[in-house]
Amino acid sequence: MTAGAPGVVPPGDNSTLLIRSRRMVLPEGVTEAAAFVRDHRIAEIGDYHLQREADRTVDLGDLPLLPGLVDAHVHVNEPGRTEWEGFATATRAALAGGITTICDMPLNSDPVTTTVDALRAKAAAAAGQCAVDVAFWGGAVPGNLADLPGLLAAGVVGVKSFLIDSGLPEFPPLSREELRAAMSAIAESGAPMIVHAEDPAQVTVPADASYDAFVASRPPVAERRAIETVISAAAFSGARAHIVHLAAGECAALISSAKAAGIALSAETCPHYLFFAAEEVQPGHTEFKCCPPLRYAVNREALWRALGDGAIDMIVSDHSPCLPSLKGLSSTGGADGDFRTAWGGISSLQLGLSVVWSVARRRGFTLADVARWMALFPASLAGLSSKGRIAVGCDADLVAFDPDASFVVRGAELLHRHPVTPYEGRTLTGRVSRAWLGGVEVTPSGAPRGRLLARGGGPLSL
Ligand SMILES: [Zn+2]
């Protein structure tokens, strides 16, 4: 930890911590254990009754202790669109939701993170106001091939691209040829190319304002064709590829067979695809709009099966807020949006863990599964090897989680910038009760202690 490096908040608290739980979620399973923390890292894991001289001892009893979650897909939007969302609000929401590391997307900030100068601007905007640790994705757009090695050397965790219009003219999509070239340029680094995989040739203009028409305009085949393009580029280039926000469950078999063939491919889905179904979206409720769209209940079943069998590796939020007016909604929601014109994106940093747990527990999954999907695998994707698990040598990012507490979502009580949420009024199960960042107990309202990280987990130094 380099105190004084740009954007790094000096830790300031080097005290030791001994923390016990009868349900500690370790990579090998849920067990009674104690963890001893020194210099912000987990120094030792032992029996529940482990005795060590520690400045603070915490006994959680039956309350489970999870690794702090890693959310590898967050649109913070600062600088440039801070009125949509910003580092202070997004990271406080993340912490309240049990997330101790986020990876910020290269859009929808202004500038977009497609050059080292833009990365500098983003790091300067983030410095000193982050409640959790923050790492950054770079972006690949037509014409910035020469910038990619510099971005990777500067510490981005990987590179994002689109195969379809992103909605922002300053972040245009890559052609197939450009995707191959960009992946060839980053292959040697080992960093992943993460791709918004919808094929524009399969997407149409919605026939009317209904939600069904919007879903029909972005069918599963659009995801399938784009994923085929990504697999082909991965095979050609040897680069690691990752499919963001997979929504079409039928693509799981395609992803599994590519993995079996030795392609370095992974995939994520999001809490909203696992929780909602298109059948329940009412007219005008554009708080449910995202791209690819929420699909029908039978598809949701396929996504859960794909998580269970490992075709889908991880769950991340794709937290992507905007001004309520851009969704055609008043600041408190309402039902007057138009699915054809509303900005897409669902904000769920603070809710993702509870959303996933509410459904996962009913399907027989355990907290160990959730920790693998929401901490271990996203950390691995982003090359943050000291994150995402409770293990000796890892950062002591820890979350106490009450798996039986339930609560009703009220958008106005959420900590991200705008209260619009499709989860309004829903009852969720599982609530974060305490969190530690680098072994120091933290709260969303406390002084921000988050650091800016580079791929590998060291400080971002620009
Ligand atoms: Zn996104």
Side-chain angles (χ1 to χ4, degrees):
M1 201 167 298
T2 314
V8 177
V9 179
D13 181 346
N14 280 297
S15 56
T16 50
L17 168 69
L18 180 63
I19 187 164
R20 309 178 202 281
S21 167
R22 295 196 183 276
R23 295 161 81 184
M24 194 176 290
V25 183
L26 303 176
E28 48 276 18
V30 182
T31 185
E32 284 194 356
F36 180 61
V37 175
R38 190 172 48 218
D39 295 332
H40 308 286
R41 290 186 177 241
I42 297 164
E44 186 179 357
I45 295 173
D47 179 74
Y48 180 80
H49 298 288
L50 178 74
Q51 297 296 329
R52 289 291 175 269
E53 273 301 305
D55 299 305
R56 286 159 296 149
T57 298
V58 174
D59 190 342
L60 297 173
D62 289 330
L63 197 62
L65 186 69
L66 291 164
L69 305 190
V70 177
D71 190 339
H73 193 150
V74 180
H75 296 267
V76 176
N77 306 333
E78 184 175 3
R81 286 189 181 83
T82 311
E83 70 276 17
W84 292 17
E85 184 65 292
F87 284 101
T89 43
T91 58
R92 286 205 296 267
L95 181 57
I99 296 160
T100 50
T101 304
I102 64 168
C103 302
D104 172 59
M105 282 291 161
L107 70 165
N108 312 314
S109 53
D110 183 14
V112 292
T113 321
T114 51
T115 65
V116 172
D117 278 348
L119 179 63
R120 274 197 199 98
K122 192 162 263 193
Q129 57 166 339
C130 297
V132 302
D133 287 352
V134 178
F136 300 94
W137 294 101
V141 293
N144 86 327
L145 203 55
D147 293 293
L148 300 182
L151 278 166
L152 288 167
V156 298
V157 295
V159 176
K160 184 181 195 188
S161 61
F162 278 69
L163 295 176
I164 191 168
D165 180 15
S166 72
L168 292 182
E170 64 270 34
F171 204 101
L174 299 181
S175 67
R176 281 156 205 250
E177 294 69 32
E178 288 163 337
L179 178 67
R180 286 185 171 208
M183 290 181 71
S184 297
I186 69 168
E188 206 173 303
S189 72
M193 173 65 77
I194 65 171
V195 186
H196 180 125
E198 286 183 287
D199 186 332
Q202 304 293 336
V203 170
T204 56
V205 177
D208 56 51
S210 69
Y211 188 69
D212 286 336
F214 172 63
V215 178
S217 75
R218 303 184 86 115
V221 68
E223 294 189 59
R224 171 176 291 271
R225 292 286 169 261
I227 292 168
E228 288 167 354
T229 298
V230 175
I231 291 170
S232 162
F236 171 85
S237 64
R240 187 172 169 193
H242 175 78
I243 307 300
V244 297
H245 49 52
L246 181 77
E250 66 173 58
C251 296
L254 177 62
I255 291 166
S256 288
S257 51
K259 287 178 176 177
I263 307 283
L265 181 69
S266 54
E268 68 188 34
T269 191
C270 307
H272 37 275
Y273 298 122
L274 296 164
F275 188 85
F276 295 119
E279 289 91 334
E280 65 193 285
V281 180
Q282 299 297 314
H285 279 273
T286 47
E287 67 270 27
F288 287 87
K289 180 178 175 179
C290 58
C291 297
L294 303 170
R295 303 192 186 282
Y296 296 90
V298 64
N299 177 79
R300 182 177 55 190
E301 294 306 306
L303 289 175
W304 275 106
R305 273 198 305 279
L307 269 170
D309 70 21
I312 298 176
D313 303 272
M314 63 193 85
I315 307 171
V316 296
S317 69
D318 191 11
H319 178 81
S320 189
C322 67
L323 292 171
S325 59
L326 291 174
K327 281 192 169 289
L329 299 172
S330 66
S331 62
T332 51
D336 42 3
D338 183 332
F339 286 104
R340 292 169 295 190
T341 52
W343 185 267
I346 286 176
S347 306
S348 65
L349 266 172
Q350 193 169 336
L351 299 174
L353 174 57
S354 301
V355 167
V356 170
W357 178 240
S358 295
V359 188
R361 71 194 315 242
R362 293 204 302 265
R363 290 167 181 268
F365 292 108
T366 67
L367 286 174
D369 296 313
V370 172
R372 198 173 64 249
W373 296 329
M374 302 186 81
L376 182 65
F377 285 173
S380 165
L381 173 71
L384 300 171
S385 53
S386 64
K387 300 292 190 187
R389 64 209 153 105
I390 300 177
V392 172
C394 287
D395 293 355
D397 301 341
L398 306 165
V399 169
F401 180 71
D402 182 342
D404 301 313
S406 66
F407 65 100
V408 178
V409 177
R410 300 287 173 222
E413 296 169 4
L414 299 176
L415 299 178
H416 65 259
R417 179 144 293 166
H418 298 289
V420 173
T421 171
Y423 298 100
E424 182 73 44
R426 301 293 181 130
T427 300
L428 301 179
T429 305
R431 185 155 216 172
V432 171
S433 55
R434 299 172 73 175
W436 292 260
L437 186 65
V440 178
E441 188 159 10
V442 284
T443 62
S445 58
R449 300 183 57 87
R451 299 171 299 144
L452 307 188
L453 305 178
R455 185 170 176 84
L460 188 75
S461 183
L462 292 165

